[in-house]
Amino acid sequence: MKKIIAIDGHAATGKSSQAKKIANFFGYNYIDTGAMYRAVTYYCIISDLLSEPINVRTIIERLNKINIEFKISNKSQIILLNGNDVEPFIRKMDVAENVSKIAGIPEVRSFLVKIQRQIAIKNNVVMDGRDIGTVVFPNAKNKFFLTASLEIRAKRRFEELKSSNETIIYSKVLENVKIRDYEDSSRLVSPLKPAKDAIIVETSNLTENEVFERLISLING
Ligand code: CDP
């Protein structure tokens, strides 16, 4: 097992941006586990598996038809779902509105956790998500848990989505971030919570650079 830096936290706390920067800084691989849950959700949407009531059994049966990989393109990482670049689709609101339900299915989690652990056999990684420090790599030496007020997180995500041209309404983003926090924290399997040995970083009043400096200064070994 190689070196692992685990970055967990609430929705839209800037985990991915920080994890990416830290990975660049140390020359580690960056793994966005949220993108993996989003890709499975996107697969369910395009395969029409999410019409109510959600057919969990069919979703579980289809997992063996899903292949998820990461590829580096133009120095940034993209996620491939069955060989196709799905990066532009997985950040949209239809995925955000369904992902926590899919992430609550234990079989989906074990399917993705297995891939996450395999990646870390050969590579030093910075991995961001919800359960990296608690479940995926409980022995990781460096664990962080990022948080910020709900309004600040919703505003950051709103600006991000707006800049990628999505027609978006702030109140919808706020509602989605709030619901995902609730669903992610209250699910039975691998609920979102800080690992006992995680360092909690409250980012509401910090710039992206200040958070980065703080994290870098706290990483050891
Ligand atoms: O970037 P943001 O905080 O909005 O979310 P994300 O990291 O892309 O994760 C999207 C969703 O995937 C979360 O709301 C969780 O439901 C799920 N997820 C999870 O359950 N476990 C992980 N390790 C990563 C994400």
Side-chain angles (χ1 to χ4, degrees):
M1 175 101 52
K2 298 278 196 167
K3 288 185 180 157
I4 291 150
I5 298 174
I7 304 187
D8 292 304
H10 291 110
T13 38
K15 298 180 298 294
S16 303
S17 322
Q18 295 299 335
K20 226 176 275 175
K21 281 174 107 171
I22 293 170
N24 271 339
F25 186 84
F26 290 112
Y28 287 13
N29 279 26
Y30 161 56
I31 303 298
D32 177 355
T33 65
M36 300 169 87
Y37 288 91
R38 285 172 180 268
V40 173
T41 306
Y42 179 66
Y43 174 90
C44 293
I45 293 174
I46 56 175
S47 310
D48 201 18
L49 301 177
L50 290 187
S51 336
E52 291 290 338
I54 292 180
N55 190 337
V56 173
R57 230 181 67 191
T58 312
I59 294 174
I60 295 167
E61 280 165 13
R62 294 284 192 92
L63 287 175
N64 63 14
K65 300 206 177 334
I66 298 179
N67 183 51
I68 289 180
E69 293 164 288
F70 289 98
K71 180 179 105 176
I72 303 291
S73 170
N74 284 336
K75 283 196 174 167
S76 70
Q77 186 200 60
I78 54 172
I79 188 162
L80 301 180
L81 170 65
N82 294 336
N84 300 310
D85 172 7
V86 290
E87 198 60 52
F89 309 113
I90 62 168
R91 311 287 165 193
K92 294 197 183 288
M93 281 306 281
D94 58 343
V95 171
E97 280 166 1
N98 287 288
V99 63
S100 292
K101 279 187 228 105
I102 299 300
I105 302 172
E107 288 81 354
V108 169
R109 301 203 70 81
S110 46
F111 171 69
L112 294 180
V113 167
K114 197 168 152 197
I115 301 173
Q116 292 154 15
R117 289 185 178 144
Q118 266 163 4
I119 296 172
I121 292 174
K122 289 201 193 127
N123 308 285
N124 291 327
V125 294
V126 183
M127 215 174 258
D128 82 300
R130 301 291 188 286
D131 58 343
I132 311 304
T134 50
V135 173
V136 186
F137 296 114
N139 296 326
K141 214 164 161 198
N142 291 287
K143 297 182 186 178
F144 298 101
F145 189 92
L146 302 192
T147 189
S149 79
L150 172 65
E151 288 71 19
I152 285 181
R153 291 186 284 124
K155 195 161 171 288
R156 287 177 187 162
R157 180 53 48 91
F158 174 67
E159 298 298 337
E160 206 179 307
L161 289 167
K162 230 174 47 179
S163 68
S164 66
N165 274 337
E166 192 166 356
T167 330
I168 198 86
I169 302 165
Y170 172 74
S171 58
K172 260 192 117 178
V173 177
L174 180 86
E175 191 59 18
N176 175 256
V177 168
K178 193 169 159 188
I179 291 175
R180 279 197 295 131
D181 279 354
Y182 173 73
E183 291 188 341
D184 292 345
S185 312
S186 59
R187 70 179 168 227
L188 295 175
V189 278
S190 312
L192 166 67
K193 62 173 181 201
K196 285 199 180 75
D197 51 349
I199 300 175
I200 298 178
V201 181
E202 159 56 72
T203 72
S204 297
N205 299 313
L206 299 176
T207 64
E208 199 175 311
N209 256 338
E210 285 168 340
V211 178
F212 177 67
E213 295 299 333
R214 168 94 51 101
L215 295 177
I216 290 292
S217 73
L218 291 165
I219 291 169
N220 55 56

